[in-house]
Amino acid sequence: MSDRLFIFDTTLRDGEQVPGCQLNTIEKIQVAKQLESLGVDVIEAGFPISSPGDFNSVIEISKAVTWPTICALTRAVEKDIDVAVEALQYAKRKRIHTGIGTSEEHIRYKFHTTHDEIIERAVAAVKYAKRFCDDVEFYAEDAGRTDNEYLARVIEAVVKAGATICNIPDTTGYCLPEEFGAKIKYLMEHVDGLSNGKAILSTHCHNDLGLATANTMAGILNGARQAEVTINGIGERAGNTSLEEIAMILKCHQGIGIDTNINTQRIYPTSRLVSSLMNMPIQPNKAIVGRNAFAHSSGIHQDGVLKNTETYEIMNPQDVGIDENNIVLTARSGHAALKHRLQVLGVEFTNESLDQLYEAFLRLADLKKEVTDDDILMLAGVDRSATNAIKLDYLQVTTGMGVKSVAAIGLNISGEKFEASASGNGPVDAAIKALKCIIRRQMTLKEFTIQAISKGSDDVGKVHMQVEYDGRLYYGFGANTDIVTASVEAYIDCINKFKK
Ligand code: KIV
Ligand code: ZN
């Protein structure tokens, strides 16, 4: 019989911490429901004490989701645990994830304390959390750089105190796979309570050296039975282990004898939904979900695949939910085709919002030949800006080689119309200068990236921007077949987020 690996998804906590990836509660619920249909065992829904937004999201996700366990993060601090307990009150299955740093660096520079005191605080936090919740997970932050003997003492103490899952994070992404595997093996062999199933070990690997998946696999092969992962590998800095990679490694290598509950056919729609809602593009060569993951370009490979797909394909694209026989959506597609695509992509809609989406779809289909999944997700997200105070009414730009670019802009600010024009060294510069003639604030553009969603000169361009205002950075996003308009929309998106 196969062993079971529990999948703990932290897209909505570790992933959502990434600057620019913040979601509102409605979007988080959408992702949580998608994760439920994907089959994850645990959803880490947030860090409730960190902000009212996180607190609320844990409440609402707990109400919206039925069978996965909902987990809330805390530090080893009673107040954190109290707030997490309150946030988890509606969860059908709940978990408190508490912990403390255990490496020399954390003990010495973060806590200015002793090794024994860290163990006391860890044990106290687990015991306190146990008063409210049976399911308590402990994390030893920076376990990757923690001495194994000391780590074993910490883990044994928290298991005795009642922790049923012990998370061994490679917080800084420093470990080599062999080293991380050996750490898990050491703990399995030296901690009372692990071999008899009283508690299990979990991996939580960061990708700073590109080793997150390799380290997670090394952990699993040495006895860890929970993996903490995110969709598309998003997360702090270089990200976390990708859920899709672990799920597909175990599916492709049946000989390992470890299964997950992941419905792998839901991987692709989940990946697109997260990428779209978080405005986080997926690199084309990303394993499993990148645009090129199943594209064979060299002549030799194409020849082989045409003879038999097994020559160069270790997975079937349909196994991860890539529907190669997709009906292409064009201006001639009807409501039913759009409705089907939205369902495949996991986008929720009502009859009314479907009508609105269909109108927006037709407008886009008039501008480009084929409407892709990314376009549809982008359209489905457009009404996120419907409640914004500042909206772009119109934009007209004259530009070209050897002439100065000139832009005229119209804004609607809470129902009132404003117009301005300006010139610049290019169309985007002119348009932003015109915008600044209306919004007279000290704002500085810090980052500006333009990306085509798929291919073709008629494609939708996505623009990500960072604008500094009043000492803070704001992230904005715009998408349009006209990249100057997309740029202005991204700038306006930032302005709409300024703290009043
Ligand atoms: O990377 C890490 O150590 C974490 C913990 C809070 C689990 O995210
Ligand atoms: Zn982390």
Side-chain angles (χ1 to χ4, degrees):
M1 205 183 80
S2 303
D3 252 13
R4 171 86 146 78
L5 177 78
F6 294 101
I7 296 292
F8 175 116
D9 183 279
T10 184
T11 305
L12 292 172
R13 201 277 299 167
D14 216 321
E16 213 253 349
Q17 266 168 231
V18 177
C21 281
Q22 278 65 42
L23 300 179
N24 62 37
T25 304
I26 293 168
E27 292 161 344
K28 285 186 191 173
I29 291 171
Q30 214 178 327
V31 172
K33 285 186 166 172
Q34 184 81 17
L35 292 171
E36 180 171 37
S37 82
L38 179 66
V40 307
D41 299 286
V42 185
I43 295 175
E44 189 164 46
F47 181 10
I49 199 152
S50 69
S51 71
D54 257 40
F55 178 82
N56 248 338
S57 305
V58 175
I59 293 206
E60 296 306 325
I61 291 169
S62 299
K63 289 181 188 165
V65 159
T66 311
W67 77 262
T69 296
I70 304 300
C71 176
L73 185 77
T74 80
R75 293 166 296 180
V77 171
E78 287 192 1
K79 179 79 190 136
D80 282 31
I81 296 170
D82 290 339
V83 175
V85 170
E86 203 186 330
L88 286 168
Q89 61 186 298
Y90 298 105
K92 287 98 198 159
R93 295 187 180 87
K94 59 187 90 173
R95 176 178 299 176
I96 293 175
H97 189 191
T98 189
I100 195 163
T102 54
S103 65
E104 289 304 312
E105 290 80 355
H106 281 232
I107 296 173
R108 215 179 297 162
Y109 306 124
K110 191 166 143 185
F111 297 109
H112 308 286
T113 185
T114 63
H115 291 75
D116 286 344
E117 156 107 22
I118 289 288
I119 296 183
E120 277 168 30
R121 283 161 73 167
V123 165
V126 170
K127 283 190 175 160
Y128 189 70
K130 271 302 240 200
R131 287 207 222 158
F132 310 100
C133 185
D134 273 349
D135 189 347
V136 174
E137 171 167 343
F138 174 80
Y139 64 86
E141 196 179 4
D142 205 12
R145 291 190 298 169
T146 301
D147 166 68
N148 287 349
E149 222 174 288
Y150 174 63
L151 187 60
R153 276 179 58 208
V154 177
I155 299 302
E156 188 158 298
V158 295
V159 171
K160 237 194 217 147
T164 46
I165 298 104
C166 295
N167 179 10
I168 310 301
D170 184 20
T171 305
T172 59
Y174 172 76
C175 286
L176 294 171
E178 206 182 26
E179 194 184 354
F180 192 73
K183 188 175 285 288
I184 298 293
K185 185 167 190 283
Y186 182 90
L187 295 173
M188 291 298 293
E189 287 170 353
H190 291 85
V191 173
D192 262 359
L194 291 182
S195 53
N196 64 13
K198 203 167 152 200
I200 60 167
L201 292 182
S202 180
T203 62
H204 177 113
C205 299
H206 279 269
N207 204 30
D208 300 65
L209 294 171
L211 291 170
T213 297
N215 283 340
T216 298
M217 279 312 300
I220 294 167
L221 293 172
N222 282 284
R225 285 297 172 266
Q226 177 179 277
E228 307 197 1
V229 290
T230 60
I231 301 296
N232 303 333
I234 62 164
E236 281 278 304
R237 308 180 309 278
N240 289 57
T241 306
S242 297
L243 180 150
E244 59 275 12
E245 292 174 14
I246 296 302
M248 290 314 290
I249 289 170
L250 294 175
K251 191 175 171 93
C252 290
H253 289 269
Q254 289 288 321
I256 294 175
I258 297 180
D259 284 336
T260 68
N261 187 52
I262 296 299
N263 172 358
T264 61
Q265 294 189 341
R266 303 296 305 155
I267 284 178
Y268 176 73
T270 310
S271 159
R272 306 317 295 186
L273 183 76
V274 168
S275 163
S276 164
L277 288 176
M278 291 193 164
N279 298 322
M280 186 60 130
I282 300 168
Q283 70 192 62
N285 59 331
K286 167 78 184 66
I288 321 289
V289 291
R291 191 171 69 228
N292 297 343
F294 293 92
H296 302 278
S297 52
S298 88
I300 297 172
H301 286 208
Q302 284 176 348
D303 179 57
V305 169
L306 287 173
K307 286 177 178 144
N308 185 325
T309 52
E310 283 181 25
T311 49
Y312 286 101
E313 275 187 9
I314 56 164
M315 303 168 261
N316 189 331
Q318 277 102 28
D319 283 350
V320 300
I322 296 176
D323 176 5
E324 287 179 315
N325 301 319
N326 251 345
I327 303 166
V328 173
L329 294 180
T330 68
R332 274 185 290 280
S333 303
H335 257 84
L338 177 65
K339 188 173 168 183
H340 172 72
R341 223 46 230 149
L342 289 168
Q343 280 162 342
V344 169
L345 292 168
V347 177
E348 288 187 355
F349 52 85
T350 58
N351 284 343
E352 199 191 340
S353 67
L354 178 63
D355 288 345
Q356 283 165 3
L357 264 174
Y358 186 66
E359 275 173 33
F361 158 76
L362 287 181
R363 280 196 297 276
L364 182 62
D366 273 345
L367 296 173
K368 61 185 302 226
K369 273 200 302 278
E370 289 178 7
V371 178
T372 63
D373 286 353
D374 284 308
D375 294 332
I376 291 170
L377 286 165
M378 185 267 296
L379 290 176
V382 161
D383 63 352
R384 278 183 271 159
S385 61
T387 53
N388 283 346
I390 306 171
K391 295 192 183 83
L392 179 63
D393 246 1
Y394 69 84
L395 177 68
Q396 188 179 36
V397 184
T398 315
T399 190
M401 230 213 31
V403 291
K404 216 170 169 56
S405 300
V406 182
I409 197 169
L411 296 186
N412 178 326
I413 306 180
S414 306
E416 219 180 313
K417 307 264 183 192
F418 295 86
E419 293 180 322
S421 56
S423 60
N425 66 9
V428 174
D429 187 45
I432 288 176
K433 281 188 174 138
L435 172 73
K436 283 181 162 180
C437 292
I438 303 174
I439 313 282
R440 294 180 172 278
R441 300 201 202 183
Q442 265 309 323
M443 330 175 257
T444 316
L445 181 56
K446 287 291 188 188
E447 203 178 292
F448 176 27
T449 54
I450 303 184
Q451 194 201 24
I453 287 184
S454 48
K455 48 201 166 213
S457 57
D458 64 350
D459 199 4
V460 172
K462 278 180 163 185
V463 173
H464 294 260
M465 272 187 187
Q466 264 183 47
V467 170
E468 191 179 64
Y469 170 66
D470 205 17
R472 291 184 59 153
L473 277 179
Y474 295 87
Y475 296 82
F477 174 73
N480 201 291
T481 49
D482 179 295
I483 53 167
V484 184
T485 305
S487 306
V488 172
E489 281 174 349
Y491 209 109
I492 293 174
D493 192 30
C494 292
I495 299 171
N496 274 307
K497 291 175 182 163
F498 289 177
K499 288 260 176 286
K500 312 268 168 355

